[in-house]
C-alpha cells in the first residue's frame, strides 16, 4: 500500500460511524479520492476538528485497491477560508463547483488547473458581495469546463462560424457545444442570451485572474449562471444539486 502526501480540498464528508468520517477529497496531485478517516472524531485524534467542508489541508493518504475507499491517516489544515462560512452565496457557489468536479473529474485523474481555480474562488469570494461572487463563480465554472474538456465555444456560432460579438438572440447549447446564432438555433435546445450577456461571458472566459473586476449586475449574472448551469448539467449528464439554492440566494441578495 503506497502512502502519499498531497494538498486536498474537502469537497464532501459524511459520518461513517461514531468515530470515523467518509471524506471526498479533491487533491492537486491525484485528482478526486474517496476516503475514510478512521478514528478522526475521537477526542484525542490529531485529526479531530480537521476535514471540514472546503478546508484546504495537507493530507497523508494510503492508497488501497480500486473499489475500496483510500485511507486518510493524517491531516494538517493549511487554509480554512473562514469568511466563506458567513457568506452564504459564496458558500453555495463553492457547493456548485464541488458538484461540477464530482460530475466531471474521474477518480485519481488529476486536474491541477481545476484545483487551482477552485482554491482561487474560495480565497477571493469569501469577502465579496453578490456581484463579485457571481463573476468569480462564472470564471471558475468556465475554467472547470475548459480543463475537463467541456469548454463551450463562445466566440463564434458553432454551426455557421459567424462571430458572436455584438449578436443577440444567441443560444448556449450543450448538444452543439457552445453558442448558436439565431439563424442556426434549434428551438428545442439551449438557453437564450442577448448581446450583452454574450459579451460578458466572453470577457469573463478570457479574463486572466482579474475576473472579479468585471461588474455585470445581479440580473445579468442570474441569467448567465442559469445558462451555464443548464449547459453544464446537459454536458456532464448530472444535476448540479446546489444550483437551485444558489439562484434562490442570489434573487434575495441585497449587496
Ligand atoms: Zn449560426
Amino acid at each position: 500500500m503506497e502512502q502519499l502526501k498531497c494538498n486536498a480540498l474537502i469537497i464532501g464528508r459524511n459520518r461513517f460511524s461514531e468515530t470515523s468520517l467518509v471524506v471526498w477529497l479533491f487533491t492537486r496531485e491525484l485528482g478526486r479520492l474517496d476516503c475514510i478517516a478512521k478514528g478522526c472524531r475521537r477526542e484525542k485524534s490529531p485529526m479531530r476538528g480537521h476535514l471540514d467542508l472546503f478546508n484546504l489541508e495537507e493530507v497523508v493518504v494510503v492508497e488501497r485497491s480500486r473499489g475500496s475507499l483510500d485511507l486518510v491517516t493524517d491531516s494538517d489544515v493549511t487554509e480554512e477560508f473562514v469568511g466563506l462560512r458567513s457568506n452564504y452565496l459564496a458558500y453555495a457557489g463553492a457547493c456548485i463547483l464541488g458538484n461540477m468536479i464530482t460530475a466531471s473529474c474521474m477518480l485519481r485523474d488529476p486536474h491541477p488547473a481545476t484545483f487551482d481555480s477552485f482554491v482561487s474562488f474560495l480565497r477571493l469570494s469569501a469577502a465579496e458581495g453578490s456581484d463579485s461572487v457571481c463573476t468569480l463563480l462564472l470564471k471558475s465554472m468556465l475554467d472547470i469546463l475548459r480543463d475537463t474538456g467541456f469548454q463551450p465555444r463562445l466566440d463564434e456560432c458553432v454551426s455557421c462560424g459567424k462571430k458572436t460579438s455584438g449578436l443577440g438572440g444567441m443560444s448556449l447549447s450543450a448538444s452543439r457545444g457552445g453558442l448558436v446564432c439565431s439563424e442556426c438555433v434549434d428551438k428545442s435546445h439551449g438557453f437564450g442570451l442577448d448581446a450583452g450577456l454574450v459579451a460578458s461571458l466572453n470577457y469573463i472566459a478570457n479574463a486572466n485572474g482579474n475576473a472579479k473586476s468585471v461588474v455585470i449586475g445581479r440580473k445579468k449574472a442570474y441569467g448567465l449562471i442559469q445558462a451555464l448551469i443548464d449547459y453544464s448539467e446537459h454536458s456532464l449528464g448530472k444535476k448540479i444539486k446546489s444550483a437551485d439554492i444558489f439562484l434562490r440566494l442570489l434573487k434575495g441578495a441585497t449587496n
Side-chain angles (χ1 to χ4, degrees):
M1 293 193 296
E2 204 183 345
Q3 186 167 292
L4 305 146
K5 195 178 254 194
C6 41
N7 287 305
L9 280 167
I10 319 311
I11 58 169
R13 48 175 263 157
N14 218 339
R15 207 168 90 159
F16 178 77
S17 69
E18 209 49 49
T19 57
S20 303
L21 283 176
V22 171
V23 283
W24 291 277
L25 303 182
F26 185 53
T27 70
R28 194 171 199 284
E29 295 83 354
L30 303 169
R32 272 180 57 222
L33 299 174
D34 292 349
C35 300
I36 185 162
K38 289 185 176 171
C40 70
R41 304 178 73 233
R42 282 198 191 111
E43 216 165 287
K44 289 190 176 163
S45 167
M47 287 194 282
R48 189 174 164 87
H50 298 183
L51 304 171
D52 215 354
L53 196 59
F54 302 131
N55 272 7
L56 179 60
E57 304 199 8
E58 189 177 70
V59 294
V60 176
V61 174
V62 176
E63 278 193 293
R64 296 207 293 183
S65 55
R66 304 241 163 198
S68 304
L69 293 171
D70 296 318
L71 286 175
V72 177
T73 57
D74 198 8
S75 69
D76 254 322
V77 178
T78 314
E79 222 171 321
E80 281 187 290
F81 311 107
V82 178
L84 195 75
R85 323 228 173 252
S86 53
N87 185 337
Y88 300 129
L89 193 67
Y91 193 86
C95 292
I96 288 180
L97 298 179
N99 291 163
M100 285 181 72
I101 286 165
T102 307
S104 62
C105 301
M106 307 286 279
L107 285 171
R108 298 187 196 187
D109 180 19
H111 286 283
T114 290
F115 181 91
D116 292 344
S117 183
F118 197 173
V119 171
S120 163
F121 175 82
L122 297 172
R123 249 176 220 152
L124 296 174
S125 68
E128 294 296 335
S130 59
D131 279 357
S132 295
V133 169
C134 288
T135 314
L136 292 166
L137 177 64
L138 284 163
K139 175 72 179 145
S140 284
M141 288 177 78
L142 287 163
D143 285 346
I144 293 173
L145 290 170
R146 179 192 299 132
D147 189 41
T148 55
F150 297 99
Q151 181 179 21
R153 184 90 208 221
L154 299 173
D155 59 335
E156 56 183 44
C157 168
V158 285
S159 277
C160 70
K162 196 190 296 170
K163 292 289 173 205
T164 60
S165 174
L167 288 183
M170 304 292 293
S171 218
L172 185 59
S173 163
S175 59
R176 311 275 275 274
L179 288 171
V180 185
C181 78
S182 56
E183 284 161 32
C184 302
V185 72
D186 169 353
K187 300 284 183 216
S188 61
H189 288 291
F191 209 98
L193 299 174
D194 65 24
L197 292 181
V198 169
S200 299
L201 202 52
N202 267 299
Y203 191 88
I204 293 167
N206 297 317
N208 275 327
N210 62 352
K212 196 173 72 167
S213 63
V214 185
V215 177
I216 49 176
R218 193 171 322 148
K219 211 170 158 194
K220 271 189 180 183
Y222 192 96
L224 279 182
I225 289 170
Q226 248 187 332
L228 211 51
I229 283 168
D230 182 78
Y231 177 91
S232 304
E233 286 183 338
H234 283 92
S235 300
L236 307 176
K238 285 206 178 118
K239 177 121 184 87
I240 296 174
K241 286 185 273 178
S242 308
D244 289 348
I245 179 86
F246 181 91
L247 291 170
R248 272 208 303 278
L249 286 169
L250 181 58
K251 230 175 196 169
T254 52
N255 65 336

